[in-house]
């Protein structure tokens, strides 16, 4: 026998064989996932029984829903003793739940601001949108403020000039020292915000008056208030959290100490305490006669609270990176900020996506706590509606509607995080 003719590797390609019968069918899937052993079968049967009982209890209540009614008494009269949901309260009070006491002739302004929010987020969230549209994402916050609160258009423009002044100072002084340039930029921005915003805005208004009817913060409520606080807190807490995470890992003792102190203090205090501080105590530390809007104070406190938690989430992503990534950035000759921007942070943020989105969802739901300081969020408005004589005694319909709206927003964030994880997945396991 000639051993040189023995082939240990197949020389021809095997013909494709048909899939086994029953493989991939619904019955096979159910057997593998729902009835795989006695424990799985027991849990499946118990779950099916619980869902069936719940559906049998809720279905008649939903089947006899009443939408056209102006009071709970009218609903009960239509139902005539039959159990049923009185959705007439939603039909009657949905503008109040959405906008609070915002003037009804001006509803177009928050609706337009909310519609433009998706336009501003599109180039940030989706790769297919042209990146040159990012200029609108930058302009949008000031434009949305002007639409919702009204007043002179030149006020948000003057605030934007604060960032222009800071960028100009940084560009002029960065050649000497980046640290000094950053400090001078912050100082210039603070001076402009305190001493120049109001005069510049008033002067521009006198020259070219462009203004909308002003709306007081006490008239803003409902989901408009929750979305405003939630979106602003989410947008600001991520960059602040990144800076705090980097500061906590910094080798500079002062920056490290300040970051650790801030994070541990904020994380050790309940959010409701910070909200009471914003509502009651903050005015004692401001100059007499200072008019500091309550919603702005709440946004600041919510942002600081979320930033501390965000910093720990991102720090976990930074700690998960192998040391070789830092060494590779150093080997490429990158300075600290270029290494963080091009090598370290993209990988750390990718690892931290589930924790970041979880923090965002928690922050958005925590906006309901503002009811304890007198702001009219959807929960507070539901209590006010239930106190009205027309709807006194109604309960489930209001809270089911509010919960459903919150679920839509939170579920959308969760699904986007899953899409982002799939888009950024670079391994093929």
């Amino acid at each position: 026998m000639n051993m040189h003719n023995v082939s240990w590797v197949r020389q021809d390609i095997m013909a494709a064989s048909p899939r086994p019968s029953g493989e991939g069918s619904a019955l096979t899937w159910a057997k593998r996932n729902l009835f795989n052993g006695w424990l799985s079968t027991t849990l499946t049967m118990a779950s099916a029984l619980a869902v069936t009982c719940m559906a049998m209890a809720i279905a008649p209540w939903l089947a006899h829903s009443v939408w056209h009614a102006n009071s709970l008494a009218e609903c009960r009269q239509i139902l005539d003793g039959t159990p049923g949901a009185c959705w007439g309260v939603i039909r009657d009070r949905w503008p109040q739940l959405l906008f609070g006491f915002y003037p009804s002739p001006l509803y177009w302004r928050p609706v337009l601001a909310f519609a433009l929010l998706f336009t501003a987020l599109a180039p940030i969230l989706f790769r297919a949108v042209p990146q040159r549209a990012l200029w609108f994402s930058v302009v949008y916050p000031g434009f949305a403020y002007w639409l919702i609160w009204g007043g002179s258009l030149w006020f948000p423009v003057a605030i934007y000039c604060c960032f222009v002044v800071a960028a100009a100072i940084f560009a002029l002084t960065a050649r000497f020292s980046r640290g000094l340039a950053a400090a001078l930029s912050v100082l210039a921005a603070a001076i402009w915000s305190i001493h120049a915003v109001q005069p510049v805005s008033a002067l521009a208004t006198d020259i070219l008056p462009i203004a909308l009817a002003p709306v007081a913060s006490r008239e803003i409520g409902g989901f408009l208030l929750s979305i405003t606080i939630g979106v602003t807190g989410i947008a600001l807490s991520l960059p602040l959290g990144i800076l705090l995470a980097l500061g906590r890992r910094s080798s500079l003792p002062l920056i490290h100490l300040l970051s650790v102190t801030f994070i541990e203090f904020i994380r050790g205090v309940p959010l409701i305490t910070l909200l009471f501080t914003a509502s009651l105590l903050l005015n004692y530390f401001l100059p007499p006669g200072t008019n500091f809007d309550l919603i702005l104070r709440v946004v600041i406190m919510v942002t600081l609270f979320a930033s501390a938690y965000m910093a720990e989430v991102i720090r976990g992503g930074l700690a998960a990176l192998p040391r070789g990534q830092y060494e590779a950035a150093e080997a490429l000759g990158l300075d600290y900020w270029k290494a963080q921007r091009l090598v370290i942070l993209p990988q750390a943020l990718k690892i931290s996506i589930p924790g970041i989105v979880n923090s965002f969802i928690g922050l958005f739901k925590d906006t309901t706590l503002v009811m304890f300081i007198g702001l009219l969020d959807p929960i507070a408005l539901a209590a006010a509606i239930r106190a009205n004589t027309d709807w006194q005694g109604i309960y489930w319909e209001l809270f089911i509607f509010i919960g459903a709206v919150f679920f839509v927003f939170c579920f959308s964030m969760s699904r986007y995080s899953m899409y982002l994880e799939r888009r950024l997945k670079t391994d093929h396991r």
Side-chain angles (χ1 to χ4, degrees):
M1 179 178 180
N2 188 358
M3 298 299 295
H4 294 287
N5 294 329
V6 177
S7 177
W8 300 98
V9 179
R10 190 179 184 93
Q11 300 297 319
D12 55 341
I13 299 176
M14 291 183 63
S17 58
R19 185 176 62 181
S21 59
E23 190 69 24
S25 64
L27 184 61
T28 303
W29 179 90
K31 184 177 180 181
R32 183 184 300 120
N33 295 278
L34 302 179
F35 301 98
N36 184 19
W38 68 269
L39 179 59
S40 177
T41 302
T42 303
L43 292 176
T44 299
M45 298 301 294
S47 301
L49 181 62
V51 170
T52 302
C53 293
M54 188 179 299
M56 291 177 63
I58 296 176
W61 186 72
L62 293 176
H64 299 92
S65 297
V66 175
W67 288 92
H68 299 278
N70 297 318
S71 66
L72 183 59
E74 185 177 347
C75 265
R76 290 173 175 170
Q77 184 178 2
I78 295 173
L79 291 171
D80 194 20
T82 305
C86 185
W87 300 110
V89 63
I90 306 300
R91 183 175 176 273
D92 184 45
R93 296 302 181 96
W94 69 265
Q96 191 174 349
L97 289 171
L98 294 183
F99 304 106
F101 295 100
Y102 205 89
S104 55
L106 305 179
Y107 281 167
W108 66 271
R109 285 162 46 177
V111 170
L112 178 60
F114 183 72
L116 293 178
L117 173 64
F118 295 98
T119 306
L121 290 177
I124 300 174
L125 300 181
F126 301 103
R127 186 184 298 173
V129 180
Q131 293 301 297
R132 58 178 176 271
L134 280 172
W135 68 268
F136 183 74
S137 304
V138 176
V139 174
Y140 172 77
F143 186 66
Y145 170 85
W146 179 61
L147 281 176
I148 295 174
W149 273 271
S152 173
L153 174 63
W154 300 112
F155 179 73
V157 171
I159 294 178
Y160 273 104
C161 290
C162 166
F163 299 99
V164 176
V165 170
I169 295 295
F170 184 85
L172 292 174
T173 57
R175 67 185 67 178
F176 305 107
S177 170
R178 285 185 174 270
L180 177 62
L184 291 177
S185 300
V186 173
L187 180 61
I191 293 174
W192 179 275
S193 300
I194 297 173
H195 298 289
V197 168
Q198 290 292 351
V200 169
S201 174
L203 178 61
T205 303
D206 292 338
I207 297 173
L208 183 62
I210 304 176
L212 293 173
V215 177
S217 292
R218 64 178 178 273
E219 297 178 343
I220 297 174
F223 284 103
L224 173 60
L225 178 64
S226 295
I227 293 172
T228 300
I229 296 175
V231 171
T232 307
I234 288 171
L236 296 178
S237 64
L238 182 58
L240 288 177
I242 292 173
L243 293 177
L244 287 170
L246 295 176
R248 183 157 190 168
R249 293 173 59 87
S250 175
S251 58
L252 299 176
L254 180 60
I255 295 179
H256 175 78
L257 178 62
L258 291 176
S259 300
V260 169
T261 302
F262 175 84
I263 292 171
E264 296 302 329
F265 174 76
I266 295 296
R267 290 174 67 223
V269 178
L271 177 57
I272 189 65
T273 304
L274 297 178
L275 294 178
F276 276 117
T277 301
S279 175
L280 303 174
L281 300 180
L282 197 58
N283 280 338
Y284 290 104
F285 301 97
L286 297 173
T290 302
N291 184 17
F292 199 2
D293 189 85
L294 178 58
I295 294 180
L296 178 58
R297 283 180 270 163
V298 169
V299 167
I300 291 173
M301 286 299 180
V302 168
T303 301
L304 295 179
F305 181 82
S307 299
Y309 283 87
M310 190 65 61
E312 289 301 281
V313 171
I314 296 172
R315 187 170 71 92
L318 292 170
L321 286 182
R323 180 61 191 169
Q325 296 298 315
Y326 296 87
E327 295 172 349
E330 294 174 359
L332 291 172
L334 302 177
D335 60 20
Y336 177 80
W337 290 110
K338 284 187 177 180
Q340 295 295 334
R341 181 170 60 89
L342 299 174
V343 179
I344 306 302
L345 281 177
Q347 300 181 72
L349 293 176
K350 173 186 169 184
I351 295 172
S352 306
I353 286 174
I356 291 173
V357 176
N358 184 59
S359 298
F360 286 167
I361 292 174
L363 169 62
F364 185 69
K365 292 189 295 185
D366 284 344
T367 57
T368 55
L369 293 176
V370 300
M371 65 173 294
F372 293 107
I373 58 172
L375 292 179
L376 298 175
D377 76 309
I379 303 296
L381 287 173
I385 292 171
R386 291 175 59 237
N388 187 276
T389 54
D390 289 338
W391 299 106
Q392 191 171 14
I394 201 159
Y395 187 83
W396 288 106
E397 292 84 348
L398 285 169
F399 291 110
I400 288 175
F401 174 76
I402 293 170
V405 175
F406 271 101
F407 174 79
V408 168
F409 281 97
C410 296
F411 184 72
S412 300
M413 285 189 277
S414 176
R415 298 301 298 181
Y416 175 77
S417 72
M418 296 172 65
Y419 156 77
L420 192 61
E421 288 182 51
R422 291 193 300 269
R423 195 183 81 181
L424 298 179
K425 187 176 182 180
T426 55
D427 57 341
H428 299 283
R429 291 177 295 176

